[in-house]
Amino acid sequence: MKSADMTRPAAVIFDLGKVLVDFDYSIAGRRIAARARMSAGQAQAFIGHSPLLARFETGQINRQQFFYEVQRATGFQGAIGEFSAFFADIFAPIEPMVKLHAELRKRGLPTYIFSNTNELAVDHIRGNFPFFGRFNGYVLSCEHGALKPDPALYEVVEAKTGRRGSELFYIDDRPENIETAAGRGWQVVLHESPDRTRQAIEASLSP
Ligand SMILES: [Mg+2]
């Protein structure tokens, strides 16, 4: 929705997972299970939804500690390099959103990544998808000890961009993440499809 008093955004903030890259932990679950004593479903649940992942994504544990805990729980037989590849090679770029990002850059808008993520995923995405390098800045949960929707992380975005409230336009697929941003006065769109997100941002940018 656009209202008369709405500011033209000065920066666009992108969530990463399910906005710019799709991911599927079942891929990792199958590969890990093939070398462990867990079923693929159990391995997927363990790495994708466990409290362990939250510890990794808040930087409480590093990749070696994460690997050690997975090894202990699943009986994974391989080395850390093999595990890291299995764990991280689960992403695919969402091309219409990568294109939208490139267009916003071309129009001179600063863009930022704001993500709950971990160092293995970030290394993989940075190494494989060139678009990831083309943002003005990155606010990654694993570097700040907090997960969205913790307001502390939104404060980091405001500090890094030097912008606040309706100067920021934020795209995320999770309602709870959007809600916290909206509560701070950011312009938001709940990402449901590239077309709808594009329409929302065009409406916000049009004079
Ligand atoms: Mg997401």
Side-chain angles (χ1 to χ4, degrees):
M1 283 299 140
K2 187 174 170 67
S3 63
D5 61 346
M6 203 176 257
T7 323
R8 188 179 190 276
V12 181
I13 315 300
F14 283 81
D15 173 36
L16 183 57
K18 302 287 180 193
V19 171
L20 285 162
V21 295
D22 204 356
F23 62 85
D24 181 358
Y25 274 112
S26 76
I27 299 170
R30 279 194 300 276
R31 290 175 179 163
I32 290 163
R35 305 215 49 194
R37 57 168 183 261
M38 269 185 176
S39 72
Q42 285 172 323
Q44 177 187 349
F46 183 76
I47 57 168
H49 306 286
S50 68
L52 181 64
L53 184 65
R55 283 162 64 211
F56 191 31
E57 299 207 322
T58 50
Q60 294 172 58
I61 54 173
N62 64 26
R63 67 183 77 194
Q64 285 80 16
Q65 292 164 316
F66 182 67
F67 172 65
Y68 174 72
E69 296 289 339
V70 170
Q71 202 179 28
R72 210 167 55 146
T74 68
F76 183 73
Q77 299 286 317
I80 187 167
E82 188 181 12
F83 168 75
S84 301
F86 288 172
F87 178 76
D89 192 9
I90 61 169
F91 297 99
I94 300 174
E95 295 299 345
M97 292 301 292
V98 171
K99 183 163 178 280
L100 174 62
H101 172 249
E103 289 172 21
L104 295 172
R105 302 280 305 159
K106 205 172 271 180
R107 289 157 73 169
L109 268 164
T111 56
Y112 294 80
I113 295 271
F114 180 28
S115 176
N116 287 346
T117 190
N118 61 75
E119 51 188 62
L120 287 175
V122 169
D123 279 2
H124 179 83
I125 291 168
R126 187 177 280 128
N128 287 275
F129 308 136
F131 82 83
F132 188 80
R134 300 181 190 131
F135 288 78
N136 292 74
Y138 305 81
V139 176
L140 309 174
S141 62
C142 55
E143 295 177 353
H144 298 284
L147 290 167
K148 292 185 288 187
D150 184 336
L153 216 45
Y154 294 70
E155 288 169 17
V156 175
V157 173
E158 291 165 356
K160 189 163 280 218
T161 58
R163 302 287 181 177
R164 53 188 305 210
S166 60
E167 296 174 323
L168 296 169
F169 189 99
Y170 179 42
I171 306 164
D172 196 300
D173 64 301
R174 297 189 70 103
E176 68 273 23
N177 296 345
I178 284 296
E179 206 171 294
T180 301
R184 305 179 73 82
W186 298 10
Q187 299 187 55
V188 296
V189 60
L190 178 65
H191 180 72
E192 291 170 331
S193 74
D195 281 350
R196 292 181 69 162
T197 293
R198 175 181 286 275
Q199 281 166 19
I201 197 153
E202 289 298 344
S204 175
L205 290 170
S206 64

